[in-house]
Amino acid sequence: MTVSDEVSLPEALNVEKDELGAEPRILVADDEQNITLTIGELLRRRGYKVEMAVSGQEALRYLQETEFDLVLTDLKMEGVDGISILEEVRRRSPLTISIILTGYASLESAIAAIRQGAYDYLVKPCPVEELIRTIQHGLEHRQIQLREMKTRRELERLNAELEQLNLKLRAMNEELAAFSYSVSHDLKAPLRAIDGFSRMLLEDYSGRLDAEGQRLLKVVRTNTQKMGQLIDDLLTFSRVGRHQLMHSSIDMTELATTEIEELQARLAAGALETKIDPMPSVRGDPAMIRQVVANLLSNAVKFSRGAEQPRVEMGGRREGSEHVYYVKDNGVGFDMKYAGKLFGVFERLHNADEFEGTGVGLALVRRILHRHGGRVWAKSDPGKGATFYFSLPVIQGEQS
Amino acid sequence: MTHQAVELLLVEDNVEDVELTLRALKKHNFSNRILVVRDGAEALDFIFGSGKYSDRHPRNGPKVILLDLKLPKVDGFEVLRRIKSDQRSRAIPVVVLTSSREERDIVESYSLGVNSYIVKPVDFDKFVQSVSELGLYWLLLNEPPPEI
C-alpha cells in the first residue's frame, strides 16, 4: 500500500470548494479497515470532511444520513457489497460521484460498475497522487454538474415565470377583447336613442321650437354622432391590435389609385389635383395596408382643401431593406415641434371646427405599420404642406 | 291584427330602439302588420306557435324577421340557430339588426345562415334610411318562398 501522507501535492490540486460547500463531504468504504483509515485520514488532512465505513452496512447508514459529494467504495465487501452502495448512491443523490476501489483481480467488475454510473475506479494499491487526482477530478465533475443543475433550475424557474406572464397576458387580452365587444354592443344604443329622439323632437315639434331651440338640438345631434364616430374609431383601433395579420402581395400603385379616385369622387371636378407615381408592391395584410393608405390620403385631402389649388401626391421606392412610401400635400402643414404628438391617440394639431376628425387615424396608421415591422414619420412647415412617409420591410423572396 | 297576418317580426329588447325602428318603418308606410317581441324566448314562441302563440300555425311565418343579437333569456344567435335548423322556419328571411360591427358576430351570424346583417347607425337619418331600404327589399321586392 503506497498511500501515505508524506507525499506533498502541488497547490494546483487543491479543490475549489465554493459550490461544493466549504468542505466537500467524502465517504470512504472498505472492509479492510487499515485502507479505510489510511485513506480517510489522508483526505481529512487535505481539508475534506470524511466519514469512514468499514462495512457495506455502515456505508449504507451514512448514506441515509448525509448527502456526500463523493463516495469511494470497495467493490468486494462481505454482506452489502460495493454495487449495492453504488445503487443506493444513485437512488439517493444521482449527482454524487462514486469511485470504485478494486484489486487487479476484479478489474472487470470495476468496469461493469462504471457502466452502472460509477465515475472512475482506482486499483489498489494506488499512489497517493493518483488517489488525490482522481478524487479531485471527480469533485470537479460534480462541481460542473451542480452548476449545470443550478442553471437548469434557474432556466426552469424563468420558463415557469414566463409561462405565468403569458397566461396573465392572454387573460388580459381576452378581457380587453370582451371589453371592446361589450362596448361595441352596449355603448352605441344610448347614443342612437339620443340622436333619434332629438331628431324626432325636431320633426314633431319644430313649430314650437324657435331657431335657437332648433340650433341647440342640432348641437346635441352633432355631438352624439361625433361620439358614435369616436367609439367606432376606438373599436377599429383596438381591433387592429388583435387582428391576425393575413399576408399577401399588395399592388400599392393600384391601391393608391383606387383610394384617391374614391376621395376625388366626393369633390367637385378639378377641385383636387393628384399624382400617383408607380410604386413597388409590398407584402402585408391588404385590408390593414388599405387603411394606412386611405387614412394618409384622406388626411392629405382634408388638410389641403384650403389651398389655392389643392394637390396630393403619392409615390415610393425601395431603399435597402425597406420600401419607403410618401404622401405629400400642399395644405396647412404643421409645426415640426409638435411632430411627436402626431401619432398619439386623440392627439390633434388643429381645432375640430377647422378640420373634423377624432384623432385616431394616424394612431391607427402607426399601429398597423408597427405590426408589420414598419415605421411612419412626417415632415412639414406650417403653411407649406406636409409629407408623410411610411416604410414596410422588404420580405425575402418578394417580387418587386 | 291577428297573429296569422304578421308580416314583419321585430325582435328587440331596447324600447328606444323599438320606437326608432317603428318610426323609421312608418315613415315609409311599412308600419302595418308588425309584431314586436322583447326577448328571444317570445320570438321562438311566436315562430313555432308555442306558449302564448299556440293558436298560431308555424306555416304562416312572417315575411321577414328583424333580429337583435343581445337579447334577454334566449340570445339572438340561439334564435337564429333554431330558426335556421328547423324545417318549418328555415325559409323565413332573417335580418340581424345590431349595434355590433364585431367580426365574430358577423361571421357567427352568417355561419348560422342569416340572410342579411345590418349595423344600426347612430345617426338617425342613416338609421331611417337603412330600415326603409331593408323594408323595401324584404317586404316588397323579395319574392318569399311559396310555402310561407
Side-chain angles (χ1 to χ4, degrees), chain A residues 306-323:
Chain A
E308 203 170 310
Q309 174 55 65
R311 185 178 160 81
V312 171
E313 288 173 39
M314 183 166 178
R317 62 192 177 111
R318 182 169 172 166
E319 286 180 15
S321 59
E322 288 181 322
H323 291 307

Side-chain angles (χ1 to χ4, degrees), chain A residues 240-349:
Chain A
V240 162
R242 290 179 279 128
H243 178 82
Q244 185 106 31
L245 295 184
M246 311 283 263
H247 280 280
S248 65
S249 180
I250 304 164
D251 183 338
M252 292 294 277
T253 316
E254 193 191 313
L255 172 58
T257 309
T258 318
E259 287 302 317
I260 201 78
E261 276 169 4
E262 226 166 82
L263 289 166
Q264 231 167 355
R266 296 182 208 164
L267 303 167
L272 177 70
E273 207 177 288
T274 61
K275 183 168 171 258
I276 305 289
D277 283 332
M279 290 175 264
S281 294
V282 78
R283 276 195 79 78
D285 185 300
M288 291 177 108
I289 298 301
R290 177 177 295 276
Q291 272 187 304
V292 168
V293 173
N295 264 296
L296 292 177
L297 286 175
S298 71
N299 264 2
V301 171
K302 176 163 79 182
F303 291 108
S304 61
R305 71 182 166 209
E308 203 170 310
Q309 174 55 65
R311 185 178 160 81
V312 171
E313 288 173 39
M314 183 166 178
R317 62 192 177 111
R318 182 169 172 166
E319 286 180 15
S321 59
E322 288 181 322
H323 291 307
V324 178
Y325 303 91
Y326 66 86
V327 174
K328 185 173 159 57
D329 67 64
N330 61 348
V332 289
F334 59 88
D335 191 332
M336 280 303 280
K337 98 179 145 191
Y338 304 119
K341 288 183 130 189
L342 275 176
F343 302 101
V345 187
F346 294 138
E347 293 284 7
R348 294 174 46 85
L349 299 185

Side-chain angles (χ1 to χ4, degrees), chain A residues 28-313:
Chain A
V28 182
D30 199 316
D31 56 0
E32 286 177 64
Q33 196 169 345
N34 61 334
I35 293 184
T36 309
L37 291 177
T38 315
I39 295 177
E41 197 49 41
L42 176 79
L43 294 176
R44 244 176 214 165
R45 292 197 188 174
R46 307 206 65 85
Y48 299 112
K49 194 164 169 54
V50 183
E51 301 296 349
M52 292 172 251
V54 289
S55 72
Q57 285 89 342
E58 200 185 351
L60 282 185
R61 273 201 301 279
Y62 277 120
L63 286 173
Q64 282 158 12
E65 288 164 8
T66 317
E67 182 184 338
F68 289 92
D69 293 307
L70 187 143
V71 173
L72 190 64
T73 181
D74 187 16
L75 216 46
K76 278 191 179 161
M77 290 187 284
E78 289 294 318
V80 179
D81 66 358
I83 293 295
S84 308
I85 304 279
L86 279 182
E87 278 167 6
E88 183 68 5
V89 167
R90 270 179 70 181
R91 195 174 65 78
R92 288 191 167 267
S93 52
L95 294 188
T96 295
I97 301 293
S98 304
I99 293 171
I100 303 299
L101 281 169
T102 183
Y104 275 116
S106 52
L107 201 54
E108 266 175 33
S109 49
I111 290 165
I114 285 186
R115 290 210 182 95
Q116 282 194 29
Y119 175 71
D120 206 348
Y121 67 90
L122 289 163
V123 180
K124 293 184 278 192
C126 77
V128 74
E129 296 93 332
E130 194 188 334
L131 170 74
I132 295 295
R133 197 162 50 239
T134 305
I135 284 178
Q136 190 178 359
H137 283 166
L139 288 172
E140 278 167 5
H141 186 71
R142 175 164 164 84
Q143 174 89 307
I144 289 165
Q145 286 197 317
L146 286 175
R147 281 185 193 153
E148 271 174 6
M149 191 176 67
K150 199 174 154 191
T151 312
R152 204 163 46 234
R153 281 193 183 146
E154 182 70 3
L155 264 177
E156 277 164 10
R157 192 183 60 75
L158 287 172
N159 260 334
E161 238 171 62
L162 211 61
E163 189 73 18
Q164 279 298 312
L165 279 174
N166 240 332
L167 280 176
K168 245 190 222 170
L169 208 61
R170 205 171 305 153
M172 278 166 74
N173 259 334
E174 271 163 23
E175 242 170 61
L176 206 64
F179 173 75
S180 66
Y181 183 78
S182 76
V183 164
S184 175
H185 272 282
D186 300 330
L187 225 61
K188 286 197 324 202
L191 285 177
R192 195 163 46 244
I194 297 170
D195 189 71
F197 283 80
S198 308
R199 179 60 204 251
M200 280 152 72
L201 191 62
L202 278 172
E203 281 177 0
D204 299 354
Y205 294 87
S206 59
R208 283 188 249 172
L209 280 172
D210 63 6
E212 177 62 5
Q214 298 203 17
R215 187 189 70 83
L216 295 179
L217 267 179
K218 274 178 191 146
V219 172
V220 172
R221 289 195 72 203
T222 314
N223 280 282
T224 312
Q225 284 161 26
K226 207 180 280 177
M227 181 150 179
Q229 190 59 51
L230 219 58
I231 292 173
D232 280 343
D233 285 357
L234 273 181
L235 286 174
T236 309
F237 186 67
S238 96
R239 250 198 303 275
V240 162
R242 290 179 279 128
H243 178 82
Q244 185 106 31
L245 295 184
M246 311 283 263
H247 280 280
S248 65
S249 180
I250 304 164
D251 183 338
M252 292 294 277
T253 316
E254 193 191 313
L255 172 58
T257 309
T258 318
E259 287 302 317
I260 201 78
E261 276 169 4
E262 226 166 82
L263 289 166
Q264 231 167 355
R266 296 182 208 164
L267 303 167
L272 177 70
E273 207 177 288
T274 61
K275 183 168 171 258
I276 305 289
D277 283 332
M279 290 175 264
S281 294
V282 78
R283 276 195 79 78
D285 185 300
M288 291 177 108
I289 298 301
R290 177 177 295 276
Q291 272 187 304
V292 168
V293 173
N295 264 296
L296 292 177
L297 286 175
S298 71
N299 264 2
V301 171
K302 176 163 79 182
F303 291 108
S304 61
R305 71 182 166 209
E308 203 170 310
Q309 174 55 65
R311 185 178 160 81
V312 171
E313 288 173 39

Side-chain angles (χ1 to χ4, degrees), chain A residues 362-391:
Chain A
L362 286 178
L364 189 71
V365 163
R366 183 169 67 172
R367 193 174 233 196
I368 292 172
L369 290 167
H370 281 182
R371 286 209 59 196
H372 281 80
R375 300 172 293 134
V376 59
W377 66 101
K379 283 180 187 153
S380 180
D381 277 311
K384 290 186 183 160
T387 308
F388 281 80
Y389 300 88
F390 65 95
S391 73

Side-chain angles (χ1 to χ4, degrees), chain A residues 177 180-181 184-186 188-189 191-193 195-197 199-200 203-204 221 224-225 228 232 239 243, chain B residues 14 16-17 19-20 23 27 69-70 77 98-102 104-105 120-125 127:
Chain A
S180 66
Y181 183 78
S184 175
H185 272 282
D186 300 330
K188 286 197 324 202
L191 285 177
R192 195 163 46 244
D195 189 71
F197 283 80
R199 179 60 204 251
M200 280 152 72
E203 281 177 0
D204 299 354
R221 289 195 72 203
T224 312
Q225 284 161 26
D232 280 343
R239 250 198 303 275
H243 178 82
Chain B
N14 182 314
E16 281 85 20
D17 272 354
E19 196 174 338
L20 293 174
R23 180 154 175 134
K27 269 179 188 276
L69 287 180
K70 261 200 151 181
F77 290 121
T98 173
S99 297
S100 164
R101 210 183 286 277
E102 287 287 311
R104 63 166 146 151
D105 288 341
K120 293 184 239 182
V122 166
D123 184 332
F124 184 63
D125 300 330
F127 185 72

